[in-house]
Amino acid sequence: MINSEQFRKDFPILFQEVNDEPLVYLDNAATAQKPVQVLEVLKHYYEHDNANVHRGVHTLAERATAGYEAAREKVRQFINAKETAEVLFTRGTTTGLNWVAASYGDANVQEGDEIVISRMEHHSNVVPWQELAKRKKAVLTYIDLTPEGFLDMADAKRKITERTKIVSVAHASNVLGVINPIKELAELAHAKGAVLVADGAQSVPHMAVDVQALDADFYAFSGHKMCGPTGIGVLYGKRDILEKMAPIEFGGEMIDFVYEQESTWTELPWKFEAGTPNIAGGIALGAAVDYLSEIGMDAIHEHEAELVRYVLPKLQQIEGLRIFGPSNPEQHTGVIAFNIEGLHPHDVATAMDMQGIAVRAGHHCAQPLLSYLDVQSTARASFYFYNTKEDADRLVEAIIATKEFFKDGLI
Ligand code: PMP
């Protein structure tokens, strides 16, 4: 395991009391906390370099541009894209998936074609495809899950057909704690002439991702879940596909030349980045990438795996606790959704908050999944590299205490 204590000191937010108890932050799947190294970069940028990018010749503009484009190169290395032309800055995963649906989808999906997603998708990997299917009179189909919450690959083989144009699946689930075989799905999609889109919101922050090895055609993720700021994210796309795609937004920055009645577009990646971008956010995302790379993504992944090996068996021993996803800790990520029998997840999360523990409750933007699982909502604890076994113990104790409190009518 990595020494979390060494890294925790970089996260001032973790050192506070909530409801008179030391905070245990276990809502990392919603958003991760930011280390001082990232906060300092944001502050430094606004104090010393703030200027608009790609336009000015003055020193500050050159510094801002160099910082922003250097961050793009850091992201390129981080996900092993071939070139920075393939790394588009977005607002986050949602924007990236919408861009693919609006641009690639509109141009390539026709009436009667199929778009294949899975039953475990986040709404941002559902709704853009629903809208595309409606616009094009295409068919949206869902790959089923196994009883343990894995993608049913036999069903994937049946659902991905000659009519399929797009397959879009989460690399890691934000509810079930599973990792999906993106490379295998890409092979299935490519064999039928379809593209593979991966939602990397829950994978890029937690494991080494190599977009070339996965052979994904598109790969979207968010900065804020990987120690970066909100409002910045990345859409990776293969160059030959991006070249053929039309921009989604039009305006400054993305043009080559504007005539009176029409315009031409500049080259990748800027063709997709209309308007003044989130410059500080991009630069700070670069700092987040540096920070995570310094620890090492394999070390982060292993640390979380060790926490799951430690905590999952303890949770499984609690009577009346339903845990979603695989029962084998080796197959479960640090996202653990659960329900306490007879208690509403919101009451559970409130009771946990009273004990200083931040967990989430709700549908986790995955209503089709929850309907499939036949539950209204769940509580969810999600770990990151700065969480410790003590945090895991506090979670287990708090769940047991919550059960007791409600039993005795104390809350
Ligand atoms: N996909 C998954 C699997 C997610 O967990 C999330 C964030 N909860 C998103 C997409 C959307 O990310 P964002 O809100 O940052 O666009």
Side-chain angles (χ1 to χ4, degrees):
M1 276 184 104
I2 58 178
N3 178 7
S4 292
E5 292 308 327
Q6 183 192 334
F7 301 109
R8 285 175 77 80
K9 66 174 175 13
D10 296 332
F11 295 82
I13 199 168
L14 297 177
F15 295 89
Q16 61 177 299
E17 296 205 334
V18 166
N19 295 319
D20 300 327
E21 298 285 350
L23 169 67
V24 174
Y25 185 76
L26 293 176
D27 195 17
N28 294 289
T31 201
Q33 299 304 347
K34 326 299 174 198
V36 284
Q37 288 84 342
V38 169
L39 303 177
E40 282 301 326
V41 164
L42 270 177
K43 188 163 174 276
H44 185 276
Y45 168 76
Y46 280 120
E47 282 182 355
H48 299 276
D49 303 332
N50 179 48
N52 213 329
V53 288
H54 305 138
R55 288 176 194 160
V57 288
H58 62 80
T59 302
L60 295 196
E62 277 176 5
R63 265 195 237 144
T65 306
Y68 190 63
E69 293 304 328
R72 199 188 302 273
E73 167 60 18
K74 288 176 187 181
V75 172
R76 183 201 69 72
Q77 282 181 26
F78 193 61
I79 59 169
N80 194 32
K82 262 196 206 128
E83 41 179 332
T84 50
E86 300 181 320
V87 177
L88 316 182
F89 279 131
T90 63
R91 274 195 297 127
T93 309
T94 306
T95 310
L97 295 170
N98 273 278
W99 283 8
V100 179
S103 177
Y104 185 87
D106 263 32
N108 293 284
V109 174
Q110 313 300 336
E111 185 169 344
D113 285 345
E114 293 161 359
I115 304 155
V116 179
I117 61 172
S118 89
R119 297 211 182 270
M120 72 173 83
E121 300 311 314
H122 186 279
H123 293 163
S124 63
N125 199 25
V126 175
V127 187
W129 308 119
Q130 289 176 339
E131 292 299 301
L132 172 64
K134 272 195 252 165
R135 284 199 297 279
K136 295 289 179 166
K137 297 197 174 61
V139 185
L140 181 61
T141 58
Y142 288 74
I143 301 168
D144 287 335
L145 309 181
T146 69
E148 282 240 294
F150 293 108
L151 215 58
D152 180 345
M153 290 306 284
D155 194 49
K157 284 180 192 137
R158 282 191 295 273
K159 297 262 166 73
I160 300 172
T161 73
E162 307 294 338
R163 295 300 325 240
T164 305
K165 291 292 182 295
I166 298 172
V167 179
S168 190
V169 173
H171 196 175
S173 165
N174 66 321
V175 179
L176 294 170
V178 294
I179 294 174
N180 290 322
I182 292 299
K183 191 175 163 54
E184 224 178 307
L185 289 163
E187 276 165 22
L188 292 177
H190 294 157
K192 304 288 183 189
V195 290
L196 187 282
V197 186
D199 168 354
Q202 299 292 345
S203 45
V204 175
H206 301 281
M207 59 198 262
V209 168
D210 179 332
V211 289
Q212 291 189 68
L214 293 171
D215 204 15
D217 299 287
F218 297 99
Y219 199 103
F221 55 101
S222 302
H224 70 95
K225 293 183 201 276
M226 52 188 286
C227 298
T230 49
I232 186 81
V234 172
L235 174 65
Y236 158 82
K238 287 181 182 163
R239 180 196 263 274
D240 55 336
I241 302 176
L242 291 176
E243 291 282 13
K244 290 190 209 113
M245 279 165 57
I248 322 299
E249 289 185 315
F250 305 92
E253 304 264 354
M254 54 76 66
I255 48 84
D256 180 28
F257 206 89
V258 178
Y259 305 93
E260 213 172 273
Q261 298 299 326
E262 58 182 352
S263 302
T264 53
W265 318 139
T266 191
E267 56 193 352
L268 291 171
W270 306 287
K271 177 175 100 174
F272 288 95
E273 299 179 1
T276 301
N278 182 354
I279 305 164
I283 293 173
L285 176 59
V289 163
D290 284 343
Y291 186 84
L292 295 176
S293 304
E294 183 73 27
I295 305 171
M297 293 313 295
D298 288 340
I300 288 174
H301 191 63
E302 179 47 32
H303 178 84
E304 291 171 24
E306 183 57 29
L307 285 176
V308 173
R309 265 176 227 128
Y310 179 77
V311 76
L312 200 59
K314 290 182 194 284
L315 293 172
Q316 285 163 340
Q317 276 165 23
I318 302 174
E319 213 181 302
L321 195 73
R322 177 177 177 193
I323 303 165
F324 296 85
S327 52
N328 180 352
E330 299 304 326
Q331 297 176 313
H332 208 299
T333 71
V335 172
I336 304 176
F338 60 92
N339 274 338
I340 303 178
E341 200 178 14
L343 298 185
H344 194 285
H346 278 116
D347 294 336
V348 172
T350 305
M352 306 282 280
D353 183 55
M354 288 171 71
Q355 299 167 77
I357 301 181
V359 296
R360 201 160 198 243
H363 53 57
H364 315 300
C365 298
Q367 282 175 337
L369 171 63
L370 294 205
S371 307
Y372 187 70
L373 298 172
D374 203 19
V375 283
Q376 296 263 307
S377 61
T378 84
R380 180 185 71 189
S382 49
F383 291 84
Y384 210 5
F385 61 88
Y386 42 67
N387 290 120
T388 60
K389 287 189 175 167
E390 289 70 47
D391 292 346
D393 287 336
R394 290 271 308 278
L395 172 71
V396 174
E397 285 158 18
I399 291 174
I400 294 169
T402 301
K403 262 183 66 178
E404 290 302 308
F405 287 156
F406 277 99
K407 192 179 78 192
D408 298 343
L410 290 177
I411 285 181

